[in-house]
Amino acid sequence: MNNRPPVRDHVTTEELLAVTKSTRDTLYRWIAIQLLPKPRILTDSKGQYFAAWSADSLDRVRFIVGKEREGLTMDDIVALVAGRWPLR
């Protein structure tokens, strides 16, 4: 019997916010400067809409936050992210 949770192809806004310790505005600002791809908008089993971020968004956010803590400028972080995760 397999007790592992199902593999998801997305992460939630709440999961990203737990890493950034910031706000939704920060995530959407990061979209505007191409640090993150736009999330898909899905509905849950109750018909409620939610943002479904790409599975690699969690790694991206951890990377961005880490580089901010190292003192890199946002321009430098944008360049690093573009090289590591080119937007499709």
Side-chain angles (χ1 to χ4, degrees):
M1 187 168 191
N2 183 353
N3 290 328
R4 288 188 288 182
V7 175
R8 293 183 301 159
D9 67 344
H10 67 275
V11 294
T12 65
T13 299
E14 289 70 25
E15 290 170 304
L16 296 180
L17 294 177
V19 173
T20 65
K21 304 211 183 327
S22 190
T23 65
R24 284 170 164 67
D25 288 342
T26 297
L27 298 177
Y28 287 98
R29 204 169 28 255
W30 289 355
I31 290 170
I33 60 174
Q34 298 187 341
L35 286 172
L36 291 173
K38 289 180 183 179
R40 294 175 291 150
I41 304 302
L42 302 177
T43 54
D44 64 16
S45 61
K46 297 176 185 171
Q48 300 294 313
Y49 293 101
F50 70 96
W53 299 81
S54 64
D56 73 344
S57 292
L58 197 53
D59 289 334
R60 286 177 182 245
V61 166
R62 286 183 179 129
F63 181 84
I64 294 162
V65 169
K67 294 304 176 188
E68 283 183 322
R69 287 184 184 140
E70 290 175 22
L72 272 70
T73 67
M74 198 52 69
D75 287 339
D76 290 338
I77 296 170
V78 168
L80 290 171
V81 168
R84 191 169 181 158
W85 293 283
L87 289 178
R88 305 180 249 311

